[in-house]
Amino acid sequence: MAPLVIGAIGVVYGDIGTSPLYTLRECFTGPHGLPLTPANVYGILSVVFWSLMIVVTLKYVTLIMRAGNRGEGGIMALTALVSRGVDDKQARWWLVGLGIFGAAMFYGDGMITPAISVLSAVEGLEVLTPALKPYVVPVTLVILIGLFSIQRHGTGNVGGLFGPVTSLWFITLAVIGAIEIGQNPMVLAALLPTYAFGFLSANPLAAFLALGAVVLAVTGTEALYADMGHFGAGPIRRAWLFFVFPALVLNYFGQGALLIRDPATIKNPFYLLAPAWALLPLVVLATCATVIASQAVISGAFSLTRQAIQMGYCPRLTIMHTSDREIGQIYVPFINWTLLIAVMLLVVGFQSSSNLAAAYGIAVTLAMTIDSLLIYVVLTRLWRWNRWAALAIVIPLLTIDMSFLASNALKIPDGGWFTILMGGVVFTLLTTWKRGRSILFERLSQETMPLDIFVASIAANPPHRVPGTAVFLTTTEARVPHALLHNLKHNKVLHERVVLLTIKTQEVPWVPLAERVRIRDLGCNFQQMEAYFGFKEDPDIPALFDECGRRGAPFDMMDTSFFVSRETLIATVAPGMALWREKLFVSMSKNATKATEFFNIPTNRVIELGTQVEL
């Protein structure tokens, strides 16, 4: 348990653990900053504490982490659960669409988190001496370029350092906060909810505007749920309740005590908590912590991309495994370099963490709101809760989420538009690919013939058969693959053994080996093979054939040829999608990784047969 808890501290809590760098400062200096009075400090501290308690502890750690999909968590896993629990087609379409939109917003979050985290850490150089201010942005860019450049080497070699370094970070947060609290212990009175209620009711408009900054304290909550499959719910809960949560509370309250004692420290209350001799080490430690927090978000973007590919929402991309032992450690070059470009543009465009804070929060609050809506479906449809009991839990959570979301909506002109724009672009790409593949499937089905009729015609008029095995990849089990028809039409022969292989991705993270493959004999030495993989697995054809050999259906790879169709897509005005979306789908198809590479098929055993399809 101890290694898992330390690992969870390092990977899961990096994002939320770096929030003290800027949260309290933004509450009083942001676009809608509050007047710096003791009453407002007490009120903000109470709201921050109860936000952590309700949103993180009660909603995610206690409730949502129970909604595991065979041990896996995250918005895609929750979406898969919901789709299985809803029978109504239209309702399922809307709910799955919500889940996919939440996943799309994660990419916007993945762009802003590295930028604001590393930038806020490096800004400690300004506290050392204002003369270093011109170097903040260049140093930040160098660190970010280095971080994204090492992704191809994998996190396995440095992953062991994440837990200890982040543990040291949280210990430091607790110590410097506790020292300041010791000088003004009365600040702990803000733990009482009466201060939060008093603050929210005394000046509702100012309090509402301040929620846009308070939400920065709960950024990273999605990581608790998303990384559940790596560490298990138990270690993540223990790490939060007994280590991370107390350290965060001590630091926030320490900053509050400092602000009451010396309002001038509002320019950077986090760094000014530390004595002068500890400032430089604290900047170094904060930079390490923010790099680790960024690493967790980048790795999450890689994992989410693979899940989207497996569930049919994203074209095949090159995926590299960076560890022989950890299946979850992957590297997706396209996503990596796209994120780096976006992050660098954000740093150069916004220049400071305060400016970036204006863009931060929209993605987080949207994802939190979507999680609340989806968990209601899980409570009522899968767990069979009484509807009123479920509403009694979900409505208060949804009210809090919507309040945060509404307050953050005011940030849209100041930079929040960037997150919404990026989320909208990604959502358009994901849904266009899914819809385009559906239309392509329909068009291909119309141009082929039923499989049973074809096999019967082969039995009646057998063509010349040549030695060896031919494997035809197909997505339509009941129809004849185009590649098979083209091969028979042009070459006038069939192989002695013909296998029609369909690879299916299930709405579960992992498929047990015993359920991996199903083979059915069709007659005339034709076999239909269905292979099943989870949405977190990478299909591997050679490994699949090894498993078939253990089941008494051996394949000799040197005697096997793989036939695949290569479609040339043409956008038309035919019913289906808007013309611009069809053109977008065609462009995405051209840039997709070849099926042979994605399924790890030996390239010297592949024969491609082209076909032209009008969408």
Side-chain angles (χ1 to χ4, degrees):
M1 180 62 70
L4 287 173
V5 170
I6 293 173
I9 291 170
V11 175
V12 177
Y13 293 108
D15 190 358
I16 199 170
T18 54
S19 295
L21 282 164
Y22 43 78
T23 299
L24 220 57
R25 182 190 69 203
E26 292 306 311
C27 289
F28 295 100
T29 64
H32 306 290
L34 295 164
L36 185 52
T37 64
N40 282 341
V41 171
Y42 274 79
I44 283 292
L45 288 177
S46 190
V47 172
V48 167
F49 172 77
W50 286 102
S51 296
L52 290 170
M53 177 64 76
I54 295 172
V55 174
V56 184
T57 308
L58 297 181
K59 178 181 173 180
Y60 279 91
V61 173
T62 304
L63 177 63
I64 290 187
M65 283 180 64
R66 297 179 183 274
N69 188 352
R70 295 198 181 182
E72 292 291 334
I75 187 102
M76 294 296 276
L78 185 60
T79 302
L81 275 178
V82 167
S83 68
R84 294 207 302 269
V86 178
D87 296 326
D88 183 84
K89 204 173 222 180
Q90 189 171 11
R92 188 192 302 123
W93 186 86
W94 279 103
L95 290 168
V96 170
L98 264 179
I100 297 303
F101 184 71
M105 295 304 294
F106 181 86
Y107 288 98
D109 187 31
M111 294 170 187
I112 294 181
T113 294
I116 191 173
S117 298
V118 178
L119 193 53
S120 62
V122 178
E123 282 171 349
L125 295 174
E126 293 181 47
V127 182
L128 278 171
T129 169
L132 293 175
K133 184 175 181 179
Y135 298 97
V136 169
V137 170
V139 170
T140 299
L141 293 175
V142 169
I143 292 172
L144 288 169
I145 290 171
L147 172 64
F148 281 90
S149 297
I150 64 170
Q151 293 301 313
R152 61 191 179 89
H153 299 294
T155 58
N157 295 329
V158 295
L161 294 174
F162 283 11
V165 170
T166 313
S167 297
L168 177 61
W169 168 252
F170 282 114
I171 291 170
T172 304
L173 291 184
V175 170
I176 62 177
I179 291 172
E180 187 63 39
I181 291 172
Q183 299 185 44
N184 181 14
M186 287 301 295
V187 76
L188 293 175
L191 292 171
L192 297 173
T194 50
Y195 283 92
F197 284 118
F199 170 73
L200 295 170
S201 58
N203 194 339
L205 179 59
F208 170 74
L209 296 175
L211 289 179
V214 171
V215 76
L216 298 173
V218 296
T219 56
T221 48
E222 183 69 23
L224 278 71
Y225 183 41
D227 288 318
M228 192 169 70
H230 294 287
F231 302 100
I236 292 176
R237 289 192 178 111
R238 285 173 170 81
W240 171 256
L241 293 172
F242 301 113
F243 190 71
V244 176
F245 186 32
L248 290 175
V249 171
L250 285 171
N251 192 265
Y252 282 124
F253 277 66
Q255 290 186 48
L258 177 66
L259 291 175
I260 292 172
R261 179 170 63 84
D262 183 5
T265 57
I266 189 57
K267 61 182 180 181
N268 204 319
F270 174 80
Y271 279 116
L272 293 174
L273 266 181
W277 62 266
L279 197 52
L280 183 58
L282 186 58
V283 171
V284 174
L285 180 60
T287 303
C288 292
T290 54
V291 166
I292 292 171
S294 304
Q295 174 65 60
V297 174
I298 296 166
S299 300
F302 293 162
S303 298
L304 186 64
T305 301
R306 181 171 68 172
Q307 293 180 31
I309 292 171
Q310 298 295 66
M311 295 178 73
Y313 285 95
C314 180
R316 293 184 296 266
L317 299 174
T318 300
I319 297 176
M320 300 167 59
H321 287 266
T322 58
S323 172
D324 294 329
R325 294 175 295 175
E326 298 294 334
I327 192 168
Q329 290 185 13
I330 58 174
Y331 169 62
V332 187
F334 176 79
I335 298 298
N336 185 67
W337 300 120
T338 303
L339 283 179
L340 174 60
I341 293 169
V343 169
M344 292 179 67
L345 289 175
L346 282 169
V347 171
V348 173
F350 285 85
Q351 293 287 310
S352 74
S353 60
S354 292
N355 293 336
L356 270 170
Y360 206 25
I362 293 285
V364 175
T365 49
L366 269 172
M368 285 163 45
T369 304
I370 291 169
D371 284 344
S372 295
L373 293 170
L374 296 183
I375 198 64
Y376 173 75
V377 179
V378 173
L379 288 172
T380 54
R381 297 297 181 91
L382 294 178
W383 296 352
R384 304 298 179 188
W385 279 37
N386 177 278
R387 180 175 298 179
W388 296 109
L391 287 172
I393 291 176
V394 171
I395 287 178
L397 295 177
L398 201 54
T399 301
I400 294 171
D401 294 337
M402 294 296 290
S403 300
F404 279 134
L405 179 60
S407 180
N408 273 275
L410 299 174
K411 296 180 178 181
I412 292 175
D414 299 319
W417 58 267
F418 177 84
T419 309
I420 295 176
L421 176 64
M422 288 298 100
V425 168
V426 174
F427 180 74
T428 301
L429 292 173
L430 296 178
T431 52
T432 296
W433 182 258
K434 185 73 170 179
R435 178 61 183 147
R437 292 298 298 175
S438 176
I439 293 172
L440 178 60
F441 178 84
E442 292 174 8
R443 300 287 189 268
L444 291 175
S445 296
Q446 293 169 3
E447 296 176 5
T448 184
M449 62 188 297
L451 183 58
D452 52 352
I453 295 176
F454 176 78
V455 174
S457 68
I458 294 295
N461 301 286
H464 180 65
R465 309 290 287 250
V466 296
T469 300
V471 177
F472 293 88
L473 297 180
T474 177
T475 56
T476 54
E477 304 99 306
R479 315 286 294 186
V480 183
H482 275 72
L484 175 53
L485 291 175
H486 282 239
N487 181 54
L488 185 58
K489 177 181 178 181
H490 295 291
N491 296 325
K492 315 295 186 192
V493 296
L494 281 179
H495 285 70
E496 283 181 339
R497 180 187 182 194
V498 178
V499 178
L500 309 179
L501 174 60
T502 301
I503 296 176
K504 296 184 176 182
T505 300
Q506 304 292 82
E507 292 180 343
V508 295
W510 316 100
V511 171
L513 205 56
E515 302 172 15
R516 173 74 69 210
V517 64
R518 184 181 301 160
I519 302 175
R520 185 164 62 96
D521 188 58
L522 303 176
C524 295
N525 225 8
F526 275 70
Q527 290 179 321
Q528 189 168 55
M529 179 187 298
E530 295 176 1
Y532 300 92
F533 292 88
F535 60 74
K536 294 199 75 172
E537 295 180 286
D538 292 324
D540 188 319
I541 299 300
L544 177 69
F545 283 1
D546 288 342
E547 175 63 20
C548 292
R550 288 189 286 271
R551 298 188 181 196
F555 283 83
D556 180 0
M557 291 299 289
M558 298 305 296
D559 197 35
T560 301
S561 299
F562 293 86
F563 290 80
V564 294
S565 294
R566 189 164 185 83
E567 298 96 0
T568 299
L569 306 179
I570 301 173
T572 68
V573 292
M577 283 193 300
L579 186 60
W580 68 268
R581 289 187 73 192
E582 289 187 357
K583 290 180 178 179
L584 176 61
F585 176 69
V586 171
S587 176
M588 293 172 73
S589 298
K590 289 178 180 177
N591 291 285
T593 301
K594 291 183 179 180
T596 51
E597 295 177 22
F598 187 77
F599 296 133
N600 198 27
I601 300 173
T603 54
N604 61 345
R605 310 302 309 167
V606 176
I607 299 170
E608 289 188 349
L609 296 171
T611 182
Q612 187 170 289
V613 181
E614 293 186 355
L615 295 174

